[in-house]
Amino acid sequence: MQEPERETTQQVASKQGARIVDARVIVTCPGRNFVTLKITTSDGVYGVGDGTLNGRELAVSAYLQEHVVPCLIGRDADRIEDTWQYLYRGAYWRRGPVTMAAIAAVDTALWDIKAKGANMPLYQLLGGRGRDGVTVYCHANGHDLGELCESVAQHVELGYKAVRVQCAVPGVADAYGVSHGDGPYEPADGSVPREEVWSTAKYLRFAPKMMETVRLRFGFDLALLHDGHHRMTPIEAASLGKSLEEFRLFWLEDATPAENQQAFRLIRQHTTTPLAVGEVFNSIFDCQQLISEQLIDYIRATVVHAGGITHMRRIASFADLYGVKTGSHGPTDVSPICMGAALHFDLSVPNFGIQEHMPHCAETDEVFPHAYRFKDGLMHPGESAGHGVDIDEKLAARFPYKRMYLPVARLEDGSMHNW
Ligand code: EZ4
Ligand code: CO
């Protein structure tokens, strides 16, 4: 039998795509800090990826600039999976938020380039539209229940079909998710970390009253979500889940920290309130047990923090085997680039659940011109080739980096707690 002929090096080379000729990190602060990677190919096509890690932005910027960019120059821009594996396996040091945000920035930029090369919106490359649009939830909050209900009403008026509700807790100095001044809520708000004081006991007494008030006013057709923001122990979370059951939440988010994935077994044994977790996850291994044991209902990993489109597809496919849906993180600290990429992912992935949407300020929207839009409770990534989000570099240069931190939380006796 004749051996199949091996291809010559020249034949393989002729199948190669355009080379990466330039990769640049852009840090800008149009209202808040963002890290962007811009990759340009020998064909003159460029793509952009988000690498923003709230409060730790320059760590990702340095990781990219010093350790990733030199390896990208000369690489075949078409080989997205190979580049992902090269940066993940090849670095020896795997996982972690800094590494995975850096990989995400490269991955997102390369998918942008590939989709532009194909002259298609990214969702077409990912298998095409799986739904008409992307259902998003917004944030309503208030310093008291009256203000909260007003905020919910305003968002319903805007067309949102799903609303996250957060409220100041009587007797607690600082609750998560409530704005400190008159402006919209922004998590990173201090040039040093602001210290908050927290009481879980007071919160647990108040939370059912909060949900009851909102249900009484808005009925049961509106999807309601709530974020516990890692403040409870597993048994406290179990008790909250039980006390909220009658209010039929869409989900209870981050009920307890999840480094120990088994912790969710205890919550699950006690309550049918749907559970969502994972906005701080950066790898499929962070949710392997949570998913395979069906301890959660929604996985909140997002493009920028979990290794880009490539790794998010892997997480979603794995979750689909166990009936777990996606529910990607989408606060202001993911840039419009991540938001755009996430919407293409959301539109195409079979087990999509919901997408968080926290609108960016006007300056951010100007620095990152984008094709996505919101209409009647749904978001649409738009039909531009690529992921549909760009960066105006000249404008970006007018907003230099400003050191900003998320707050930290202490219990009433001064103990450090989870923020
Ligand atoms: O606190 O993105 O669900 N959304 C959240 C966010 C996070 C910030 C942290 O960077 O919990 O507001
Ligand atoms: Co959250």
Side-chain angles (χ1 to χ4, degrees):
M1 222 173 90
Q2 219 184 337
E3 288 265 316
E5 261 181 54
R6 282 193 59 185
E7 289 177 303
T8 63
T9 315
Q10 285 84 348
Q11 281 169 322
V12 172
S14 72
K15 288 181 191 157
Q16 285 170 349
R19 304 266 131 197
I20 295 173
V21 293
D22 188 43
R24 258 169 338 107
V25 185
I26 303 154
V27 180
T28 178
C29 187
R32 54 154 305 103
N33 293 312
F34 295 109
V35 177
T36 303
L37 181 70
K38 180 168 182 174
I39 295 179
T40 307
T41 73
S42 48
D43 287 347
V45 178
Y46 70 86
V48 289
D50 180 23
T52 307
L53 185 60
N54 206 3
R56 297 292 185 270
E57 295 86 358
L58 297 190
V60 182
S61 163
Y63 188 106
L64 280 168
Q65 217 146 282
E66 289 300 312
H67 308 300
V68 173
V69 165
C71 313
L72 292 178
I73 307 303
R75 292 187 67 84
D76 183 345
D78 272 346
R79 296 180 63 177
I80 300 179
E81 182 69 44
D82 183 64
T83 300
W84 197 96
Q85 300 295 337
Y86 179 87
L87 294 173
Y88 184 82
R89 293 168 195 262
Y92 187 63
W93 308 107
R94 300 181 181 200
R95 304 162 62 181
V98 176
T99 295
M100 297 305 277
I103 294 179
V106 176
D107 189 79
T108 305
L110 292 181
W111 277 105
D112 192 24
I113 288 170
K114 193 180 277 292
K116 282 178 176 172
N119 197 24
M120 284 178 184
L122 175 57
Y123 74 82
Q124 293 290 10
L125 283 190
L126 302 179
R129 205 177 265 283
R131 50 198 51 78
D132 299 334
V134 175
T135 302
V136 292
Y137 73 90
C138 60
H139 290 189
N141 66 75
H143 295 100
D144 56 40
L145 291 173
E147 227 183 82
L148 171 62
C149 284
E150 270 327 289
S151 174
V152 175
Q154 282 164 14
H155 286 96
V156 169
E157 192 64 28
L158 290 171
Y160 287 98
K161 307 279 189 279
V163 182
R164 186 188 86 161
V165 297
Q166 308 292 139
C167 189
V169 177
V172 176
D174 311 278
Y176 161 78
V178 182
S179 61
H180 288 272
D182 295 333
Y185 171 66
E186 175 59 52
D189 62 0
S191 54
V192 293
R194 202 167 42 74
E195 300 237 343
E196 299 188 335
V197 180
W198 173 252
S199 160
T200 307
K202 288 173 186 162
Y203 162 72
L204 291 178
R205 287 202 299 276
F206 176 70
K209 192 167 174 232
M210 169 179 77
M211 295 314 308
E212 183 184 30
T213 305
V214 177
R215 277 293 183 222
L216 279 174
R217 165 115 183 239
F218 296 92
F220 279 80
D221 283 340
L222 184 63
L224 294 181
L225 301 83
H226 178 65
D227 191 345
H229 222 260
H230 325 270
R231 304 278 167 104
M232 292 165 275
T233 64
I235 197 68
E236 287 167 346
S239 128
L240 178 67
K242 263 173 97 161
S243 69
L244 297 182
E245 269 168 26
E246 60 179 308
F247 308 117
R248 304 269 162 177
L249 263 61
F250 185 93
W251 79 33
L252 170 62
E253 171 183 339
D254 288 343
T256 201
E259 288 100 323
N260 174 16
Q261 297 180 45
Q262 285 181 29
F264 275 74
R265 283 185 187 156
L266 192 141
I267 309 173
R268 204 58 154 174
Q269 280 156 14
H270 290 283
T271 182
T272 57
T273 293
L275 301 172
V277 72
E279 66 181 48
V280 301
F281 293 178
N282 51 73
S283 150
I284 198 165
F285 298 105
D286 293 334
C287 48
Q288 185 175 18
Q289 187 177 9
L290 287 168
I291 289 172
S292 63
E293 289 190 27
Q294 296 173 241
L295 302 178
I296 56 170
D297 302 282
Y298 297 91
I299 177 67
R300 285 189 39 75
T302 192
V303 171
V304 56
H305 299 131
I309 294 280
T310 297
H311 199 60
M312 282 295 286
R313 293 177 91 197
R314 198 149 288 141
I315 293 174
S317 296
F318 177 58
D320 196 26
L321 298 181
Y322 299 94
V324 174
K325 294 187 175 191
T326 67
S328 286
H329 195 204
T332 42
D333 48 282
V334 310
S335 93
I337 295 173
C338 175
M339 193 64 199
L343 292 172
H344 288 270
F345 168 81
D346 295 337
L347 198 64
S348 63
V349 74
N351 53 325
F352 168 75
I354 202 163
Q355 167 72 50
E356 185 176 21
H357 176 226
M358 202 177 160
H360 290 105
C361 70
E363 288 85 354
T364 297
D365 279 341
E366 266 180 71
V367 168
F368 296 96
H370 49 264
Y372 62 76
R373 65 195 191 283
F374 171 85
K375 193 168 182 274
D376 300 332
L378 303 180
M379 284 186 78
H380 305 272
E383 297 296 318
S384 305
H387 56 46
V389 189
D390 205 345
I391 182 166
D392 179 336
E393 290 190 71
K394 272 207 190 113
L395 194 55
R398 304 230 306 257
F399 301 101
Y401 168 78
K402 262 197 247 158
R403 180 159 51 233
M404 291 294 268
Y405 286 97
L406 293 168
V408 297
R410 292 186 187 277
L411 299 178
E412 288 170 314
D413 71 352
S415 310
M416 271 310 297
H417 195 53
N418 317 312
W419 178 73

